Amino acid sequence: MTTLKRSLIALSVVAAVAVSGCSNMTTAQQRELSGGAIGAAAGAGITALAGGDAIWGAVGGAAVGALGGFLYNKHEQNNSN
């Protein structure tokens, strides 16, 4: 099995487990988790297609995605006041 396939399978499993645990989370926590999961999947996919190590792409993508979710939440909080 190729690295890309293994990475995508692993990310799919992690995303499914993460989403199933969102029922008791606040909206802010859900946004940050969703951003991290989407970022991890995108980072792994792009890095694997570019010929790099998909794991490091997933780590970087997750960090950027979680930060994006956090910043979006702060933006929404400022607009609701």
Side-chain angles (χ1 to χ4, degrees), residues 54-69:
I55 298 299
W56 290 113
V59 169
V64 171
L67 178 63

Side-chain angles (χ1 to χ4, degrees), residues 10-60:
L11 287 173
S12 298
V13 170
V14 169
V17 170
V19 171
S20 67
C22 291
S23 61
N24 294 329
M25 297 176 80
T26 66
T27 303
Q29 292 169 333
Q30 289 176 357
R31 285 180 181 151
E32 292 170 17
L33 181 64
S34 297
I38 293 167
I46 291 169
T47 304
L49 289 173
D53 191 0
I55 298 299
W56 290 113
V59 169

